[in-house]
Amino acid sequence: MSGRDRLIYLPLGGAGEIGMNAYVYGYGKPGKERLILVDLGIAFPDMDTTPGVDIIVPDITWLTENLNRLEAVFITHGHEDHVGGVGHLYPQIKKPIHCRAFTANLARRKLQEKGQDPKVVHTAPSFPQMIDAGPFKVGFLPVSHSIPESNALVIDSPAGRIIHTGDFKIDRSPVVGQPFSDDLWAEAARPGVRALVCDSTNVFSKNEGRSEAEVAPNLKPLVQSATGMFVATTFASNVARLQSLAIAGEAAGRSICLMGRAMRRMTEAAREEGILTDFPKTISPEEAADIPRENLMLIVTGSQGERRAASAQLSRGKYFGMELKEGDTFLFSSKTIPGNEKEVARIMNNLSELGVDVVTDDDGLYHVSGHANRPDLEFMHNLTQPQIVVPMHGEHRHLREHAKVADAGGRIGIVAPNGTMIDLAGNEPRVVDHVETGRTYLDGSALVGQFDGVVRDRIRMALNGHVVVAVMVDDDNEILEDTWVDIRGLPEQVRGSASLADIMEEHLAGQLARVNTRTANDDEALEGLIVKGVRKVAQDEIGKRPEVTVLITRLSAE
Amino acid sequence: MSGRDRLIYLPLGGAGEIGMNAYVYGYGKPGKERLILVDLGIAFPDMDTTPGVDIIVPDITWLTENLNRLEAVFITHGHEDHVGGVGHLYPQIKKPIHCRAFTANLARRKLQEKGQDPKVVHTAPSFPQMIDAGPFKVGFLPVSHSIPESNALVIDSPAGRIIHTGDFKIDRSPVVGQPFSDDLWAEAARPGVRALVCDSTNVFSKNEGRSEAEVAPNLKPLVQSATGMFVATTFASNVARLQSLAIAGEAAGRSICLMGRAMRRMTEAAREEGILTDFPKTISPEEAADIPRENLMLIVTGSQGERRAASAQLSRGKYFGMELKEGDTFLFSSKTIPGNEKEVARIMNNLSELGVDVVTDDDGLYHVSGHANRPDLEFMHNLTQPQIVVPMHGEHRHLREHAKVADAGGRIGIVAPNGTMIDLAGNEPRVVDHVETGRTYLDGSALVGQFDGVVRDRIRMALNGHVVVAVMVDDDNEILEDTWVDIRGLPEQVRGSASLADIMEEHLAGQLARVNTRTANDDEALEGLIVKGVRKVAQDEIGKRPEVTVLITRLSAE
């Protein structure tokens, strides 16, 4: 191993997936690099792969094993996939957290919710001011996205400058917050950029991205023409959109009521940080109940069909005294994130049954993306002129495509999925290590490892059902006749009316009557025999192979 | 109740959902109408709502209770959501099944697989020839769709003619099969159409639909320019597409190999019925293994990301001796059905990791839909000039939107979701009854009712985990100390290293030691106590509320 100082990049999450961003940078002698962590986000579970799980955080074992090398944490912006892990993982890290004011406001709330000290979060100034962190100097370079105060990071090391874009789009009229500043970015790029570590989400979108400002002019006539109640849902963190919606509502003579916890938290944080200055007055749901529906606009959470969010609740019936009906309008000022299609459709169908007119963004009128499209990525490459482009924030296919875009522009594009440690200090980026990465599940209040078998067992029970057998063995190694079978998640009755549990008990009784003393004395052998017997009956009767739990109780003479 | 004869329409499946089509028509005195059934399809399960289920069929209880009134079954075309239920439900129906030759071929295979007599399927002639079925005469009116020999049904009753479109598009150059014939449809409409029961799938698509013939010219240059192996996936039943793909492959000097069971079944049926006449020669996977990859084209199943289909297998590694690698091309000549996005993306990412170039239909070059878009629906309304339009084959929002289209055209549109019986004989369509409908799950080899609790229990185990407690009570109503706890789908260790099962056992031991004889003697009370105790520990330790099964064994003195 060379003794030369390395400049390493190591994604622990976010590279090879969209979600739970966590990127490590390091500088120093091999294996002794001083480290910083950029972002600490979460991902959301689904029934297919993570039933029952509450949220997913990156497995940061590598980081905790190298904690003495970690200088600080930098959070680019306030989306859950970037800041959401702070509350859950801070206790394992305990290093200063740097972010801009709005993100800091959100991060502090998260720490407080978990009983942690919010003072560990430091409000950072913006580039060209820089923060010292070991061998690094880090600057927060403002960039447009779909939440206030998003930032790229300018990361200076003795081996050169890295720009880590965070999530971004090129928006020169973002409605809320600073427009994308070509001048500021040119200034950041001027000393030369060794590597651009760059958002890849929309690399497959071929047209130039559109500005947030394009939405408002379409919202106004829509709200104006609505007759009944007007409800709009969007991403709660898209404060600019909330403002455009509220202004359109106010212009149409409607009172604005925000519904849903995230909606209130975001606007509260934005107000506290002085970001929401032009936002119309809002009323509470209680006040809204007294206002004629044609004079009311609800802005609600749940654009992704989340079962407990306001949209879903309203689609199912009364919610905080509100009830939708024929003649009302419901706008999805959002796109459906892949994987949420069925949940969103369920809400739309519920609304349809209520007679509510649903308006979506099918024609691109009522939503714009927060991420840079392919031409915008090319623009970014050209603006910053990096030697190396490291695509991040994307599934493997996004990273690969983005690397191709970089190559086509005459730069070095490198695909480095989670766990790939690359050294950016040499002439060419070089893979120097592979690190175990993965997902940790927050399940209730417990952290569960991806490979602990907990979720695997849940999935198996869901697919196959669960049969429980209780068997007793007396102190002479005789199996008692009272073997009990209980089934869950399998049909109780088979062949018309016979009880599946009874058939299993009968089969086991016959089987166990023939068991010799040695087997009866051997838990493992006895369990194996019973599992096999249960599965045989299940296969014969219902064509399934259930999960089986066997409880063997050995009675001892007292 | 009026004694006037009714002409009833009753969807048992397919109206309010996309899938498991089953529509009843009846004519006669109220409650004594003679019936026919149109289509008998399946729907596909998902992990969110139907884990472990194999397929979903409509609950046909109403039909089986009125079986003496049922004359016959008519199947419009060979898609699984129209014919897929025949094998599973025929034993409950036992009436003649009518379909055109290709569909009959598929239906007979399904019956044979289930050990039923394939002779109950009758090959029908096409309109203007009609089949007698009680008070009805039924004609198979050819229509273009995305599978050979799709048909609308012309259903004549003493109260007038109904046209049931089945799935359709307006395609005047469908590559395989008959073009849409304006003349034939005009002839069918000439006597006057009382009701058009009409496909609603694409009502939200605003542009005129495109012809299958538009795909082939785009395929040729794509295949021509590929260097490595070329793999294409599409819906196996889209025989026209298979042919276009195969011809493009042949033109590029490639041997064609079909992979996947459905792919072979469909082409076999199409060949047997004389539909596939221009299809290039194909080779077996064994032969393909000997051919240089640049001279090979695979056409494979699994466009929807199905885990066991050829696409998924190829994306994971070797399959029938084939292995994809850098430089190969994989084309999705398909669209992703809502709900399948994640599975499809998983395959694309696997392929990306292998270095395979994935081509999708993002730009509309390599796939066209098989359903009529909104302008095509308007065209159909105008062509057939029905008094009434009954939207079917759609979720509630599709039906409602389609009814609005009908209204806008000056016709009567009526939304009649599953279970809504409407009488079409009067001046206006009238809802005359609501019938219990639902879904029946084929689970292994058992049919399970939607509300039997089987699937609900599986979902609960998946979300909450499952704790099993075995407790013994002796013949003096004393609870023995050997209470056993087994957990599945919950973390085994909590607080670092303590065993969750041990903590529960300890808690229960303390609790049960204090139980009085009356409670110990009462199964229900004892179970309630234990469930509560287990949930308390789980809540305290891991913040979850698990499912709990309690097995109480009462020992009797022998």
Side-chain angles (χ1 to χ4, degrees), chain A residues 77 79 143-148 150 167-169 212 235-241 367-371:
Chain A
H77 66 287
H79 277 148
V143 74
S144 38
H145 184 37
S146 49
I147 186 171
S150 283
D167 293 4
F168 79 100
K169 67 188 288 191
E212 181 63 34
F235 304 95
S237 55
N238 193 334
V239 172
R241 186 71 51 78
H367 180 66
V368 296
S369 171
H371 293 275

Side-chain angles (χ1 to χ4, degrees), chain A residues 96-118:
Chain A
I97 298 171
H98 300 277
C99 27
R100 300 291 314 281
F102 178 69
T103 312
N105 187 305
L106 298 174
R108 288 188 190 112
R109 286 165 191 254
K110 287 181 188 300
L111 287 166
Q112 273 168 321
E113 276 168 23
K114 295 280 162 189
Q116 305 288 330
D117 182 5

Side-chain angles (χ1 to χ4, degrees), chain A residues 46 342 352 363 396 404, chain B residues 46 206 342 352 357 363 396:
Chain A
D46 59 35
K342 282 192 178 178
S352 176
D363 297 317
H396 195 281
K404 282 189 194 175
Chain B
D46 59 36
K206 285 171 189 160
K342 282 191 180 180
S352 176
D357 290 321
D363 297 318
H396 195 281

Side-chain angles (χ1 to χ4, degrees), chain A residues 73-149:
Chain A
V73 180
F74 296 82
I75 308 287
T76 57
H77 66 287
H79 277 148
E80 288 293 327
D81 57 334
H82 296 262
V83 73
V86 162
H88 309 289
L89 296 181
Y90 179 76
Q92 294 180 48
I93 295 180
K94 304 220 168 179
K95 300 287 172 182
I97 298 171
H98 300 277
C99 27
R100 300 291 314 281
F102 178 69
T103 312
N105 187 305
L106 298 174
R108 288 188 190 112
R109 286 165 191 254
K110 287 181 188 300
L111 287 166
Q112 273 168 321
E113 276 168 23
K114 295 280 162 189
Q116 305 288 330
D117 182 5
K119 290 209 197 75
V120 301
V121 177
H122 303 272
T123 300
S126 77
F127 180 86
Q129 292 192 62
M130 304 289 274
I131 296 159
D132 285 313
F136 294 106
K137 284 181 192 301
V138 182
F140 281 81
L141 178 61
V143 74
S144 38
H145 184 37
S146 49
I147 186 171
E149 284 192 355

Side-chain angles (χ1 to χ4, degrees), chain A residues 40-56:
Chain A
L40 190 50
I42 63 172
F44 294 99
D46 59 35
M47 189 71 184
D48 287 84
T49 60
T50 46
V53 168
D54 292 287
I55 62 166
I56 302 168

